[in-house]
């Protein structure tokens, strides 16, 4: 019988996988979405110190993708740590400035917010790698505009390593085409019809979230809503589409009904 | 007016034709007072190498308060020599004097040979100066001359009451100033630093590495001096004096007082590398100065064992660093403002102006009513299912969707909307050429203009939360009321998650 050093083998496999090889020592901190169906995909939860990409499915889904990133930041960070939000100046003109009152309404304490307005994508990425060096930061949201050239595989790998070293979640908020990236997960987020709270009023924010990449498990596609009182993702109870007849059947609606079925 | 011109018989105020007659090869240039002023400014800036207290004496003088500075230059004589030779080397005609007060020094520089006047010898020279050195109105001067007075000493010997009665207060004022009976404060051009460290080099520094090494040394000196005072610096300015007279100033700010060289050095390096116009050594810097412009008392220097405190100070250091690179106006924290007008209800302030601890205190007062998690801890609110209770938005119950968007357009975006009159939500609207069919809507939430501001343009707004067929959520308002205002218009103000 030959004896096998299991932990050494695990380390070797982890190194090949590109995961953090130090996990045998200290248990790595993780977070969950609180939405059991989606959490099942991540055995033991999502690693906190990692790079997660959130793509807006279309240009019009920027608000939804941002809300989803904010919700992830809330799930992934301690309640009293600051969240560094880096974005380019051009974002303010295109989709408006960050509105702290709205952050509060989503369950995010506005005083935790540290906004860094950058003149270019390069400054966003540079600032992000600085912020990821700071252990006191709760989460870093990195929002370069579009698909900048300087955001390549090397840079995303650097961000991933920095996030791992500091155990700070790095959330890369993007739109446009996806290039090569070292991110641990990639989400494609679109707005989903909310469950009306009655009287034809829009309900809690609902997201159509497709996990299109997961280095630690399988992918998936869910519709979930964000409960800002509990800070938790939940399944959307019923679709408002059924309550209010929708006269418009664009590709987005078709995609959503597919997602509902699967 | 220089010596050669005076020798040729020219004088100020002479007609050009007369001057031409005297001196045929005269070259004429237009006076450029603005440029003269700029040059004087630059010269004054350069003079900061001698003393932090430099004031302009228009139109062509500079006053330096050198109290306590002379020993750094090897005494008064050597200092004056240094000033004069350096300026002459650069092609300026200079007259300079050191005296017990600024007015006396000015008069001596202009109307005597100049030089160093030790406190006692000064008076006799002053007394011998002609009446012109009073620099008073022509009428008073003529009056003094008619009375047979020739020098300042003559006037100084007369009784004050009689002088004031006959020639006005100006003469007595000038006398008092010249002899130091009253002290006229000079208004320095720049803030006088609390603490400074400077180094002058015989051999100019050209290599950036050498400059950085010097900055480190000066930092050590500055922080040692500050530590003795029990203070740390919130703002430090580095001044680089180039051999050719150009002065470059770079300042760094910190949210938490700096007490050590290492963090300061990181900040100044960050700042130097982010300069729009990089620091150019040219022929080298012959003097470098670090000055603490704003200081704050440091209560404790012991590193805390509390990890939370440590984390907070790490975040403050991050703020300092990003502010040094991008500028303080780009690293921001939101603060709540007491108004119900959505776009005025918050303000983004430079994070460097408050530390994380201070920010936490501000939260207690301002953000608490807006932030729903906080109110839920309150038992009374929890029983009544109130999640947030803000007078601006009214109470929010558990399970209520967010009432405010996460992105806000400033100014609001014009849209074309079709809605029921008078106050129905839009049924469809077109924004950026895309037509959105409204599936769900809630409203109106009526927000009236602030009555305490007089703004004829402001109209009542009716806000609606809208969800379109694709599930995208918008915050839309109609400005003006049907029937009352001329033509109500629709705007998109924000995007919900």
């Amino acid at each position: 019988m030959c004896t096998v050093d299991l932990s050494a083998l695990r380390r070797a496999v982890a190194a090949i996988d590109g995961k953090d090889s130090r996990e045998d020592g200290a248990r790595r901190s993780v977070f969950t979405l609180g939405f059991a169906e989606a959490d099942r995909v991540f055995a033991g939860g999502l690693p906190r110190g990692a790079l997660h990409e959130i793509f807006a499915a279309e240009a019009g889904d920027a608000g939804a993708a941002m809300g989803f990133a904010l919700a992830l930041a809330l799930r992934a960070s301690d309640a009293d740590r600051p969240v560094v939000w880096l974005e380019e100046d051009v974002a303010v003109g295109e989709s408006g400035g960050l509105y702290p009152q709205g952050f509060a309404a989503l369950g995010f304490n506005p005083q935790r917010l540290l906004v860094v307005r950058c003149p270019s994508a390069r400054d966003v990425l540079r600032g992000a790698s600085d912020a990821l060096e700071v252990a006191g930061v709760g989460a870093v949201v990195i929002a370069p505009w579009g698909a900048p050239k300087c955001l390549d595989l090397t840079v995303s790998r650097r961000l991933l390593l920095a996030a791992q070293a500091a155990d700070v979640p790095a959330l890369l908020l993007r739109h446009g085409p996806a290039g090569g990236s070292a991110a641990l997960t990639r989400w494609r987020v679109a707005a989903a019809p909310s469950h009306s709270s009655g009287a034809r009023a829009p309900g809690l924010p609902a997201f159509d979230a497709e996990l299109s990449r997961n280095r630690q498990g399988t992918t998936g596609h869910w519709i979930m809503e964000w409960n800002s009182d509990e800070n938790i993702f939940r399944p959307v109870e019923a679709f408002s589409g059924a309550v209010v007849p929708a006269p418009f059947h664009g590709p987005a609606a078709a995609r959503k009904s597919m997602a509902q079925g699967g | 007016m220089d010596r050669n011109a005076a020798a040729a018989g020219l004088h100020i105020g002479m007609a050009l034709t007369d001057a031409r007659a005297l001196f045929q090869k005269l070259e004429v240039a237009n006076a450029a007072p603005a440029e003269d002023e700029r040059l004087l400014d630059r010269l004054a800036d350069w003079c900061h190498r001698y003393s932090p207290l430099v004031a302009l004496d228009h139109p062509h003088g500079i006053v330096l308060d050198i109290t306590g500075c002379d020993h750094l230059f090897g005494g008064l004589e050597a200092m004056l020599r240094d000033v004069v030779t350096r300026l002459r080397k650069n092609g300026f005609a200079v007259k300079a004097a050191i005296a017990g007060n600024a007015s006396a020094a000015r008069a001596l520089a202009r109307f005597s040979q100049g030089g160093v006047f030790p406190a006692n010898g000064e008076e006799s020279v002053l007394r011998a100066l002609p009446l012109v050195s009073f620099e008073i109105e022509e009428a008073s001067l003529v009056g003094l001359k008619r009375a047979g007075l020739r020098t300042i000493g003559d006037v100084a010997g007369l009784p004050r009451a009689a002088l004031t009665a006959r020639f006005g207060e100006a003469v007595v004022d000038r006398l008092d100033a010249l002899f130091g009976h009253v002290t006229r404060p000079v208004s320095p051009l720049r803030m006088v630093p609390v603490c400074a460290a400077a180094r002058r080099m015989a051999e100019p520094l050209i290599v950036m590495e050498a400059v950085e090494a010097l900055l480190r040394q000066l930092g050590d000196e500055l922080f040692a001096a500050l530590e003795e005072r029990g203070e740390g610096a919130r703002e430090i300015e580095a001044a680089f004096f180039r051999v050719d007279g150009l002065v470059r100033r770079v300042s760094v700010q910190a949210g938490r007082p700096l007490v050590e060289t290492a963090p300061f050095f990181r900040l100044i390096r960050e700042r130097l590398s982010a300069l729009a116009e990089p620091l150019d050594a040219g022929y080298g810097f012959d003097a470098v100065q670090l000055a603490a412009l704003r200081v704050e008392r440091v209560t404790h220097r012991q590193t805390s064992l509390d990890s939370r405190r440590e984390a907070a100070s790490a975040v403050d250091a991050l703020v300092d660093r990003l502010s040094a690179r991008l500028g303080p106006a780009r690293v921001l924290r939101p603060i709540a403002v007491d108004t119900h007008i959505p776009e005025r209800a918050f303000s983004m302030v430079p994070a460097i102006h408050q530390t994380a601890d201070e920010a936490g205190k501000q939260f207690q007062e301002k953000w608490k009513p807006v932030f729903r998690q906080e109110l839920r801890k309150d038992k009374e609110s929890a029983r009544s299912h109130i999640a947030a209770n803000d007078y601006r938005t009214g109470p929010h119950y558990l399970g209520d969707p967010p009432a405010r968007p996460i992105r806000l357009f400033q100014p609001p975006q014009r849209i074309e909307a079709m809605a029921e009159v008078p106050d129905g939500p839009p049924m469809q609207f077109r924004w950026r050429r895309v037509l959105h069919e409204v599936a769900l809507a809630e409203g109106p939430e009526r927000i009236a203009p602030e009555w305490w501001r007089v703004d004829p343009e402001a109209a009542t707004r009716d806000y609606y939360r809208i969800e379109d067929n694709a599930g995208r959520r918008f915050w839309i308002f109609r400005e003006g009321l049907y029937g009352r205002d001329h033509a109500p218009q629709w705007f998109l103000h924000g995007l919900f998650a």
Side-chain angles (χ1 to χ4, degrees), chain B residues 415-461:
Chain B
I415 52 169
E416 295 163 30
M418 233 174 67
E420 277 175 54
V421 176
D423 61 355
M427 289 177 288
Q428 60 177 43
F429 67 93
R430 192 181 287 277
W431 176 50
R432 289 181 178 164
R433 277 179 260 156
V434 180
L435 188 70
H436 297 268
E437 296 279 347
V438 174
L440 299 173
E442 185 186 52
E445 180 189 344
R446 183 158 295 179
I447 297 183
E450 294 163 319
W451 55 264
W452 58 91
R453 282 173 200 262
V454 186
D455 184 2
E457 294 289 300
T460 300
R461 297 174 183 173

Side-chain angles (χ1 to χ4, degrees), chain A residues 186-208:
Chain A
R186 175 178 292 162
W187 299 83
R188 281 196 171 277
V189 179
S194 64
H195 169 58
S196 173
S197 45
R200 284 197 70 215
L204 292 175
F207 306 102
D208 175 332

